Amino acid sequence: MKGITARLRATKGRRLKREERENKAKVRDAAGMGYQAELEGRCRFPLCGCYERNLFVEVSHQKHKGMGGDPTGERSQPELMICLCNWRHKEAKFSVDKGNLRWIPLTDQGANGPVVWEMYLPDAGWFELAREVAIRVLGELTPRGLYILNDLANLRT
């Protein structure tokens, strides 16, 4: 029989997981993907080629939850999560989880508003790839940004 502390910890864990699932559903709905985001293949990364390849789309946290999870639930708020294909989220050489690709919100709405996409290269540091003027609407791209985005769209890197 579990003690009161273990039961309270388990109850809190279940509550946080439920809240995170609900918040992820809000992120998918806000992206216009409904509950079948995984099937529709819509990634927020600019010019991503994942749609043509039917890649799985998942909700990515802006701040990684780490080994300890998210004990307070603060990292799993809808404004801190964005829909990305698993290639840009985890698998690619340049991905959010590898720490060399990031999105930064441009308004206090967080991911519910426009974001800027940045990439890190060891010889150049962080530089701006693309800037949204509205959700999924890109502003003018620099020649360098366009070249890199077109290369990343091939899903080789």
Side-chain angles (χ1 to χ4, degrees), residues 19-55:
E19 289 173 0
E20 182 176 23
R21 278 192 311 273
E22 291 169 355
N23 286 337
K24 283 183 175 185
K26 288 178 186 176
V27 172
R28 288 183 190 105
D29 289 344
M33 295 195 259
Y35 74 97
Q36 290 187 332
E38 300 83 5
L39 301 176
E40 294 186 19
R42 293 290 179 187
C43 175
R44 180 97 175 255
F45 188 73
L47 308 181
C48 190
C50 64
Y51 182 73
E52 291 83 21
R53 291 170 175 84
N54 296 317
L55 292 183

Side-chain angles (χ1 to χ4, degrees), residues 12-87:
K12 178 183 176 187
R14 285 190 300 273
R15 178 183 55 82
L16 287 172
K17 286 180 182 180
R18 184 189 74 247
E19 289 173 0
E20 182 176 23
R21 278 192 311 273
E22 291 169 355
N23 286 337
K24 283 183 175 185
K26 288 178 186 176
V27 172
R28 288 183 190 105
D29 289 344
M33 295 195 259
Y35 74 97
Q36 290 187 332
E38 300 83 5
L39 301 176
E40 294 186 19
R42 293 290 179 187
C43 175
R44 180 97 175 255
F45 188 73
L47 308 181
C48 190
C50 64
Y51 182 73
E52 291 83 21
R53 291 170 175 84
N54 296 317
L55 292 183
F56 183 77
V57 174
E58 53 201 10
V59 177
S60 172
H61 294 76
Q62 184 181 30
K63 297 178 186 174
H64 197 279
K65 294 191 307 182
M67 294 299 289
D70 188 10
T72 62
E74 66 185 30
R75 295 180 182 187
S76 296
Q77 298 304 310
E79 61 274 6
L80 299 176
M81 296 187 290
I82 200 164
C83 286
L84 291 176
C85 65
N86 64 339
W87 185 250

Side-chain angles (χ1 to χ4, degrees), residues 87-104:
W87 185 250
R88 284 296 150 224
H89 185 199
K90 300 176 190 173
E91 305 296 329
K93 178 179 177 182
F94 293 100
S95 65
V96 172
D97 274 9
K98 293 209 170 97
N100 51 19
L101 187 65
R102 69 183 178 191
W103 58 274
I104 300 170

Side-chain angles (χ1 to χ4, degrees), residues 45-47 129-130 138 141 144-153:
F45 188 73
L47 308 181
L129 275 176
L138 296 179
L141 296 171
R144 181 181 187 192
L146 182 60
Y147 175 80
I148 292 171
L149 285 172
N150 282 327
D151 189 45
L152 292 175

Side-chain angles (χ1 to χ4, degrees), residues 44-48 114-117 129-141 145-146 149:
R44 180 97 175 255
F45 188 73
L47 308 181
C48 190
V115 300
V116 63
W117 290 93
L129 275 176
R131 178 177 295 260
E132 293 180 339
V133 293
I135 294 176
R136 297 184 187 276
V137 178
L138 296 179
E140 187 173 341
L141 296 171
L146 182 60
L149 285 172

